[in-house]
Amino acid sequence: MGTGKTTVGSILADRCGMDFIDLDAEIERRAGSTIAEFWAQHGEPAFRDLEAQTFADLMNGSSRGGGCIFATGGGTLVSERNRARVQPDDVVFCLTCDVEGIRSRLDGERDVRPLVARLDGEDVAAYMEDRLGRRRAAYELYQQVDTTRRLPEEVAGEIERLTDISSFDLRFDAARVSRIVFGRGVAGRLGDALVQQGVTGSVLVVTDDVVNELPLVRAATASIQAPGVDGREGGGPRLRGAALRFAGTNLLPAGEQHKTLVSVDRIYRAAMSAKLDRSSTIVGIGGGVIGDLAGHAAATYMRGIQLVLVPTTLVAQVDATIGGKVGVDFEGIKNLVGAFHPARVIAIDPDLLATLPDTALADGMAEIVKIAMVFSADLLSRVEALGGVRDILAAPAIIRLAAALKARIVERDPFERGDRALLNFGHTVGHGIESASVYRVSHGQAISAGMVAETWLAARLGLADRGAPDRLGALLGRFGLPGRVEGVDTGGIWSAMQSDKKRRDGKLRFGLSTVPGSGSVVEVAAADARDAVGFACRKDGRQ
Ligand SMILES: NC(=O)c1ccc[n+]([C@@H]2O[C@H](COP(=O)([O-])OP(=O)(O)OC[C@H]3O[C@@H](n4cnc5c(N)ncnc54)[C@H](O)[C@@H]3O)[C@@H](O)[C@H]2O)c1
């Protein structure tokens, strides 16, 4: 007790974008009283039973699916029955502190700490020594982190460095795995993160002239250059300088109009003059455009070298970098030339997003709402709790969950034969809008209106309830996203949809949200689909 489990745990959860569960708080909720009161009334054995039951329930709970940080009580893992609940891929740290440190932290908390409430002065120290002595063997089963005279932020930082707790994998096949390293502050320690993930050799950074000016991006690049050590356990400290060689930064002009082979040509030349070889790595730092360009170059230079991506827009963090698709626009056709080349590491730092304008955040929110509407009621309810678009900056758990969901969907259905097609929700009409507006309407705005129109279609087909389009429109509106578009020709949208690859036998294939959080892929008659286009463009909002 008093080692800072709750404080450190909640800081860590915030930094990692994970949920935080405090066992003591949950026990108090169930008991309907403070632990001190429960203890005084029912005694320690009854408390331990309640603790064990609560622990068991939480360890089996659904929140574990997305990963969470769990602060136990000081005695929880002393019990063998509780220890048996810990799964092999759970990571346990034991926070320690010297007795003097604990005593000073507990001053003023006597009324809520049942074990010390009855003691004072020297008794507390003797009591602590005694407890610790009896618990030491159990505590030593786990990796210890000393908290004596340290700030909780410092302790949280150490645990983050010692483990990959907030990372997850996207496994395409036996040979190709993307490791997604998620966390606030990851950009600033990119060099360490890369070494930790086994990236070695020459590293060429590819970014754009806007992103390159961001202080966090400067810190990321500097962290690859600075000599240092990584904190990985087991192997002992390793000199980063010995593992990574910074081979320079290749600066490209920002913007979709530069997502062409001309930019790829520039990357090839930079790679040649930096003498990159087959063991080298291209690190793309930027939005979806830089990810696609750096990826295309990495896929083709010397028939393929390693790729690392550091997405700096919300679109790139939850969508563009996750899935292995890379490529460029050609002759005005988006993504016509490309390849499949998954990044070895994708480092997602939500703090990078703070400098994005509302419109760019809204584009990302459209993708998050899309994933939530067809795949996750949990994500949807978290999104519904946001008041406006900038609230996402304080909600890293939403970003992490959206990215993890996309990763899981891609993993389950790499060739888009099954339910990955649901990720097209809003895109059939949305792509038509984008194309008919000659990209005046942004991708996010187009799929926003597309999602509302396709939900209207689902309601008309009896697959969704009648109030669904309005509810979705209101949610998107909160992020500055439209439910309809103006000034785009319906005929143009419809003809763009004809050439869409989702058309078959006069019917169009849609991924539709049926109930919030799930959906189905359906074939829709042309007449119904055309009415949905009309809805997307209707001015007065009448259905
Ligand atoms: N490969 C895929 O699977 C996939 C999926 C979805 C989208 N994409 C592609 O992604 C692209 C769109 O990506 P995007 O929306 O990230 O746009 P983008 O890459 O063009 O970035 C938008 C603008 O924001 C700037 N910017 C980036 N990060 C910033 C930051 N942190 N602060 C301030 N400004 C910043 C950029 O310089 C750029 O000017 C499209 O080309 C699309 O085709 C690819």
Side-chain angles (χ1 to χ4, degrees):
M1 82 182 74
T3 56
K5 295 182 293 298
T6 301
T7 314
V8 170
S10 62
I11 293 171
L12 199 54
D14 176 57
R15 284 163 71 139
C16 297
M18 295 165 89
D19 288 332
F20 176 62
I21 297 178
D22 185 53
L23 182 62
D24 284 354
E26 180 59 20
I27 292 172
E28 292 191 335
R29 199 186 62 75
R30 291 186 182 197
S33 67
T34 66
I35 288 177
E37 285 161 1
F38 186 89
W39 192 288
Q41 214 176 340
H42 305 282
E44 179 163 2
F47 170 76
R48 294 294 171 204
D49 283 346
L50 176 61
E51 178 185 51
Q53 188 55 53
T54 312
F55 186 65
D57 293 346
L58 292 174
M59 290 297 276
N60 292 331
S62 59
S63 52
R64 285 172 50 82
C68 67
I69 309 284
F70 196 143
T72 68
T76 314
L77 292 181
V78 173
S79 137
E80 209 170 318
R81 67 176 159 165
N82 292 341
R83 281 204 304 273
R85 305 264 171 207
V86 177
Q87 302 299 310
D89 51 357
D90 291 336
V91 184
V92 183
F93 286 96
C94 174
L95 304 189
T96 63
C97 184
D98 70 13
V99 169
E100 198 37 54
I102 293 182
R103 214 166 71 167
S104 65
R105 286 181 198 160
L106 294 183
D107 269 355
E109 288 189 26
R110 306 181 133 259
D111 47 337
V112 293
R113 301 281 186 178
L115 292 182
V116 289
R118 293 163 277 123
L119 308 168
D120 55 24
E122 284 309 302
D123 284 355
V124 175
Y127 178 82
M128 289 288 167
E129 295 284 9
D130 176 57
R131 276 258 149 178
L132 202 54
R134 282 188 281 129
R135 291 178 172 182
R136 184 161 285 127
Y139 288 164
E140 283 178 352
L141 293 172
Y142 303 109
Q143 185 167 352
Q144 311 221 337
V145 176
D146 187 22
T147 68
T148 310
R149 285 176 288 284
R150 295 174 78 192
L151 291 172
E153 288 75 13
E154 221 180 294
V155 177
E158 180 179 344
I159 295 176
E160 216 181 347
R161 278 192 300 280
L162 287 173
T163 174
D164 271 352
I165 35 174
S166 65
S167 303
F168 50 95
D169 286 344
L170 165 49
R171 190 170 294 277
F172 294 92
D173 51 43
R176 287 176 297 188
V177 179
S178 290
R179 167 131 279 220
I180 297 155
V181 179
F182 188 98
R184 302 178 83 157
V186 161
R189 50 187 166 80
L190 183 66
D192 277 346
L194 295 186
V195 175
Q196 210 166 30
Q197 298 304 327
V199 176
T200 56
S202 295
V203 166
L204 175 71
V205 171
V206 174
T207 186
D208 71 36
D209 45 13
V210 174
V211 171
N212 191 49
E213 295 306 315
L214 302 173
L216 266 182
V217 170
R218 296 226 165 234
T221 313
S223 80
I224 300 176
Q225 299 171 55
V229 291
D230 76 292
R232 183 166 223 172
E233 273 298 295
R238 261 184 298 158
L239 264 184
R240 186 198 306 146
L244 284 186
R245 183 183 79 85
F246 179 67
T249 297
N250 181 222
L251 261 194
L252 299 171
E256 179 75 32
Q257 70 274 27
H258 297 291
K259 202 174 100 172
T260 63
L261 290 173
V262 175
S263 296
V264 174
D265 184 285
R266 291 174 64 164
I267 304 175
Y268 290 153
R269 288 173 197 281
M272 273 179 80
S273 64
K275 300 195 171 31
L276 296 200
D277 59 24
R278 296 226 49 200
S279 66
S280 305
T281 300
I282 288 181
V283 177
I285 308 181
V289 166
I290 285 295
D292 280 358
L293 282 170
H296 188 87
T300 46
Y301 186 74
M302 291 189 163
R303 297 203 188 90
I305 63 171
Q306 194 161 255
L307 175 68
V308 167
L309 292 174
V310 183
T312 63
T313 64
L314 190 55
V315 168
Q317 293 193 347
V318 300
D319 188 25
T321 52
I322 298 172
K325 292 182 190 171
V326 297
V328 297
D329 305 337
F330 191 78
E331 290 292 313
I333 301 174
K334 276 195 65 135
N335 305 322
L336 186 71
V337 180
F340 178 75
H341 191 66
R344 162 87 188 282
V345 178
I346 302 165
I348 303 183
D349 183 346
D351 286 349
L352 280 165
L353 308 178
T355 46
L356 283 176
D358 289 5
T359 48
L361 287 174
D363 281 346
M365 284 311 299
E367 298 295 344
I368 294 177
V369 170
K370 176 196 75 178
I371 296 177
M373 284 291 288
V374 287
F375 279 106
S376 171
D378 173 25
L379 179 61
L380 188 61
S381 67
R382 291 168 192 249
V383 169
E384 282 167 346
L386 299 177
V389 78
R390 298 207 83 78
D391 289 355
I392 190 67
L393 300 176
I398 291 184
I399 300 171
R400 185 176 185 280
L401 182 56
L405 281 165
K406 167 98 193 259
R408 221 173 296 154
I409 297 157
V410 171
E411 198 168 65
R412 211 164 54 203
D413 184 14
F415 304 108
E416 290 188 43
R417 294 203 179 109
D419 64 358
R420 184 169 171 186
L422 286 176
L423 290 180
N424 285 322
F425 173 51
H427 281 60
T428 309
V429 174
H431 277 155
I433 294 172
E434 256 189 303
S435 154
S437 75
V438 202
Y439 300 95
R440 173 182 62 77
V441 179
S442 79
H443 181 73
Q445 290 174 339
I447 65 158
S448 175
M451 284 190 285
V452 176
E454 292 182 17
T455 302
W456 174 85
L457 178 62
R460 176 197 250 203
L461 298 174
L463 300 169
D465 86 51
R466 291 175 63 85
D470 281 350
R471 280 198 303 276
L472 178 59
L475 178 64
L476 292 162
R478 218 186 286 169
F479 307 123
L481 289 162
R484 289 187 172 75
V485 287
E486 279 179 35
V488 188
D489 171 42
T490 50
I493 299 174
W494 181 242
S495 73
M497 283 167 64
Q498 303 304 297
S499 58
D500 196 300
K501 51 189 181 290
K502 291 168 228 52
R503 190 183 164 99
R504 205 161 54 191
D505 302 332
K507 292 192 157 195
L508 279 87
R509 256 178 118 223
F510 282 85
L512 297 178
S513 171
T514 47
V515 289
S518 71
S520 50
V521 178
V522 283
E523 309 245 309
V524 174
D528 289 325
R530 190 158 189 154
D531 286 349
V533 172
F535 179 86
C537 300
R538 197 171 297 162
K539 258 197 174 146
D540 58 11
R542 267 188 300 113
Q543 297 187 20

